[in-house]
Amino acid sequence: MKRISAPRRVASLSAQLVDSLRSHIEAGGWPVGTRIPPEPELMEELGVGRSTLREAIGALVHLGLLEPRPGDGTYVRSSSELQSVMVRRASSAQRDNVLELRTVLEEYASGAAALRRSESELRQLRELLADADAASDGQDVAAAESVDALFHRAVVRASGNDLLVEVYDHLGTALTSSLGGMPWDAAHAAEHARLHRRLVDAIEARDTGGARDAAASIVQLTHDHETVAPHASEEE
């Protein structure tokens, strides 16, 4: 007996537009922090009506990818739903928990990088160390934090684990948002730089144990510094 053909389910125009805009954001077409084009421009470019566009934009706002700012426009808040969720979750978590999560990810990634890194990846890590030293010498805190984030992402990429890279890229913003903003005194800054050099040396030597230990020590230094920093500022 011939089976009845099931009807085809076609996504609505607004659902298709959500997928298209989400892909555009994930690909970096609209970088995080930038304002998206105004409604009339998007309607003309996409060939859709105002209600369809607003429905799609509203869905992306709900997902956490976009953020409306009354009187100013709509801005890209995050490049993915997972990143958006993790930023919110990390901001409400205890810092110790965030530090433990960072330790798990970076310790494993550093050990794997020692085994799998390429010569070009090793050169990039050395270049980022030099950039970090230059930012530190110039006392540019924002630049130092930016280079540090690039450095740790480069270590994870050198692990050769594509899934780990993807997860870390999503979590990277959450970790940076939750752990950033602490002033570093000269002693802690010097130790921070020394541990990073030790990590790269271990990766170059393909010393997995040394790389994992250096990565864990970097996170522990952040924890120790956070513990004493509030008291130091109170004494001043």
Side-chain angles (χ1 to χ4, degrees):
M1 184 175 178
K2 187 176 180 180
R3 296 175 61 87
I4 301 174
S5 298
R8 285 183 149 184
R9 294 178 175 83
V10 180
S12 67
L13 184 58
S14 63
Q16 294 179 57
L17 185 55
V18 168
D19 289 340
S20 177
L21 294 178
R22 179 165 50 191
S23 297
H24 187 68
I25 292 171
E26 289 176 351
W30 293 337
V32 174
T34 61
R35 183 172 59 186
I36 70 172
E39 271 189 0
E41 184 177 329
L42 286 175
M43 288 166 57
E44 181 177 354
E45 179 181 353
L46 300 170
V48 298
R50 188 181 304 275
S51 60
T52 298
L53 178 61
R54 288 186 174 179
E55 186 176 347
I57 296 296
L60 293 173
V61 169
H62 180 72
L63 290 172
L65 273 65
L66 296 178
E67 176 186 10
R69 299 180 186 176
D72 191 19
T74 300
Y75 285 76
V76 180
R77 180 180 182 185
S78 175
S79 62
S80 73
E81 298 105 300
L82 178 58
Q83 185 184 84
S84 175
V85 169
M86 289 308 302
V87 168
R88 290 198 301 269
R89 183 64 185 89
S91 65
S92 63
Q94 295 181 4
R95 288 178 75 92
D96 282 352
N97 291 342
V98 179
L99 285 162
E100 286 179 7
L101 175 60
R102 180 178 173 183
T103 301
V104 169
L105 292 173
E106 296 196 8
E107 186 176 340
Y108 176 83
S110 297
L115 283 176
R116 303 168 183 162
R117 56 82 180 165
S118 66
E119 290 300 319
S120 62
E121 288 168 335
L122 183 61
R123 283 195 300 272
Q124 183 187 26
L125 290 174
R126 291 291 184 193
E127 290 169 0
L128 288 169
L129 281 182
D131 291 344
D133 288 341
S136 179
D137 291 342
Q139 297 184 334
D140 189 336
V141 176
E145 289 181 352
S146 177
V147 173
D148 188 63
L150 290 173
F151 174 87
H152 288 286
R153 283 185 171 88
V155 171
V156 176
R157 285 195 297 273
S159 73
N161 186 322
D162 291 340
L163 182 58
L164 179 60
V165 172
E166 184 178 352
V167 170
Y168 190 85
D169 280 344
H170 287 315
L171 292 175
T173 300
L175 296 175
T176 302
S177 299
S178 180
L179 297 176
M182 290 189 302
W184 288 79
D185 57 36
H188 279 92
E191 179 64 4
H192 188 257
R194 186 189 72 81
L195 288 173
H196 280 67
R197 288 192 295 272
R198 190 177 118 196
L199 172 58
V200 176
D201 288 343
I203 291 175
E204 180 175 17
R206 301 196 186 277
D207 178 2
T208 57
R212 292 173 68 104
D213 181 67
S217 296
I218 290 170
V219 180
Q220 186 61 47
L221 179 67
T222 303
H223 178 272
D224 293 344
H225 175 249
E226 183 206 26
T227 302
V228 301
H231 301 293
S233 62
E234 288 173 6
E235 290 175 0
E236 293 175 357

